[in-house]
Amino acid sequence: MHISLVNLGCKVNQYELQALNTALTKKGHTVSGEMCYADVYILNTCAVTNEAERKSRQFVTKAYKRNKDAKIIVMGCASQNNVGAFAEKGVHYVVGSFEKAKISEIIDGLGDADVAEFQSVKSYGSADARDRANHTVYEKTEYASTDRTRQFIKIQDGCDNFCSYCIIPYLRGSSRSREAGDVIDEIASVTLGEVVLIGINLSAYGKDTGTSLTALLNQIREKTPDVRLRLGSLEANVVDDEFLCALRSLKNFCPHFHLSLQSGDDGVLKDMNRRYDAQYFFERVTLIRKYFARAAITTDIIVGFPTESEEAFSSTLKFAEMTGFSDIHVFPYSARNGTRAAELKERVSDSMIKERVKRLTELKLRLKKEYIKSFLGETVETLIENIADDGTGFAFGYSPNYIRVYAGGRFKVGGIYKISLKEDFLDGAKGEKVC
């Protein structure tokens, strides 16, 4: 059968769909990663915001319009959160976050099935979104197949932090870690580009199995020493001398640290249940720069949390500038039913959230430009990810510290080249252009 895989959401979602691609391809199916005409559509959904859930539902409609006779399977966080929202015309199976292994079995049964069997939606694993009791062991899957030059490798799932604004711990279950040997084997199978270790809460890796992310990094150094390695999003509490020493000992570590901040105000951080204050976060950033003086340090900040006053937002602006982030992912607050933050009586108006997003975005662009300009005139080892097909001959890729580089010349996708950063072009929308 021709199967179309469509993904919304985070890097973990991407990995899971790529792993499913591997499993289905091994069974002889033709698999596409785009929304195209197909016999079966598998939609991997996201629930991190209300907007993400809305887009997830829209993709169901788009799939149905592409082929009204196709079978549609919905999986992931949004379907785990609200199975009823996907019990609509054209949807045949709803699979939550915990029963994704069943999808291969479902596909096996589609070829001989009569269409009449699919008049009512069948759901797997979505009856109780908050039942985490049986989800404490890492679910092993096929390795993710991809032709990308940056290979995501999922090493952890679930979260036990319960930040007050976040629904994900209820939808992904308890934190659970992948066996180190299996991680090493998948890293060893990657022959192109770089590897990015990812997880729902990457910093929690090993806490459920008596090990740690630092211990895994040491094994990677010993068994796959040449891999160009990058880390996904981290929590500040994982940053200590032992962790940074392990990273510095890696031959090809990319010094880019994405540390989730969410707010620079201590009162808001407490209301968010973030379990650190701004001073602790700043000390972790300072420690990183002790080991990696020019590392890219990026972050997430939520704007408009219910208890965020104008004074608290000003504290966030000042903290972001003092810290000198190389990039900031700015998120307007989205209330998620079932979280503690959604029950707060305070509210920040939509117009105020929009205005604060604008102010923080202006700061983000200035800090980003300042960071990139500090590298002009230097040579960086750039992983080429794509070559333009518009006749310009330009190639683009990323430096180890995640500067997006454009350059003219003879390049090969997946190759790593030393490129001199001579001139910068920043427009805030297309990113950075360095020729």
Side-chain angles (χ1 to χ4, degrees), residues 272-298:
M272 288 179 166
N273 195 35
R274 289 295 290 169
R275 305 181 190 182
Y276 55 79
D277 57 20
Q279 179 61 32
Y280 177 85
F281 188 98
F282 187 77
E283 289 171 355
R284 300 304 96 188
V285 171
T286 302
L287 188 60
I288 289 172
R289 288 177 173 151
K290 174 184 173 182
Y291 286 85
F292 302 94
R294 305 180 72 192
I297 299 178
T298 60

Side-chain angles (χ1 to χ4, degrees), residues 27-218:
K27 291 189 173 184
H29 299 292
T30 300
V31 183
S32 171
E34 300 177 353
M35 176 68 80
C36 56
Y37 187 89
D39 303 308
V40 180
Y41 293 92
I42 301 176
L43 310 178
N44 199 14
T45 62
C46 178
V48 70
T49 64
N50 289 321
E51 178 66 11
E53 283 209 35
R54 185 186 67 81
K55 287 182 178 180
S56 296
R57 294 191 296 272
Q58 282 184 338
F59 269 91
V60 172
T61 302
K62 289 179 181 179
Y64 183 73
K65 287 181 178 179
R66 285 277 185 172
N67 182 5
K68 293 182 179 180
D69 296 322
K71 308 302 183 292
I72 299 177
I73 301 171
V74 179
M75 61 186 275
C77 289
S79 59
Q80 182 74 31
N81 190 40
N82 188 356
V83 62
F86 296 93
E88 56 187 66
K89 186 177 181 181
V91 176
H92 303 104
Y93 287 93
V94 178
V95 179
S97 296
F98 306 119
E99 303 291 339
K100 294 172 183 176
K102 288 187 177 292
I103 290 178
S104 185
E105 300 174 19
I106 293 170
I107 297 295
D108 288 343
L110 288 181
D112 299 324
D114 190 290
V115 176
E117 295 180 30
F118 300 101
Q119 295 307 308
S120 61
V121 175
K122 300 178 182 180
S123 80
Y124 290 83
S126 299
D128 187 352
R130 296 171 183 274
D131 178 15
R132 294 157 47 92
N134 297 321
H135 308 293
T136 57
V137 178
Y138 186 90
E139 300 89 350
K140 189 173 180 179
T141 65
E142 295 278 0
Y143 294 167
S145 62
T146 178
D147 56 2
R148 295 174 182 267
T149 55
R150 184 179 299 116
Q151 174 66 62
F152 299 136
I153 294 184
K154 177 184 168 186
I155 68 169
Q156 182 274 343
D157 204 343
C159 184
D160 298 320
N161 285 349
F162 290 97
C163 298
S164 65
Y165 53 82
C166 186
I167 194 71
I168 300 303
Y170 301 107
L171 309 182
R172 284 276 182 173
S174 301
S175 180
R176 49 205 187 274
S177 306
R178 185 176 176 182
E179 197 272 324
D182 196 35
V183 175
I184 299 295
D185 288 344
E186 184 167 9
I187 291 174
S189 73
V190 177
T191 59
L192 184 70
E194 69 184 29
V195 163
V196 186
L197 301 184
I198 60 171
I200 296 298
N201 182 9
L202 185 64
S203 302
Y205 177 85
K207 289 185 177 180
D208 56 320
T209 57
T211 182
S212 67
L213 183 57
T214 298
L216 177 63
L217 293 171
N218 288 330

Side-chain angles (χ1 to χ4, degrees), residues 294 371-378 421-424 434:
R294 305 180 72 192
Y371 179 74
I372 293 167
K373 277 194 169 184
S374 72
F375 286 88
L376 293 179
E378 300 185 21
L421 309 187
K422 296 179 180 179
E423 181 183 353
D424 70 321
V434 184

Side-chain angles (χ1 to χ4, degrees), residues 234-241 243-244 259 280 284 287-288:
L234 299 167
E235 295 291 330
N237 62 5
V238 78
V239 178
D240 58 22
D241 289 286
F243 173 70
L244 294 169
L259 296 182
Y280 177 85
R284 300 304 96 188
L287 188 60
I288 289 172

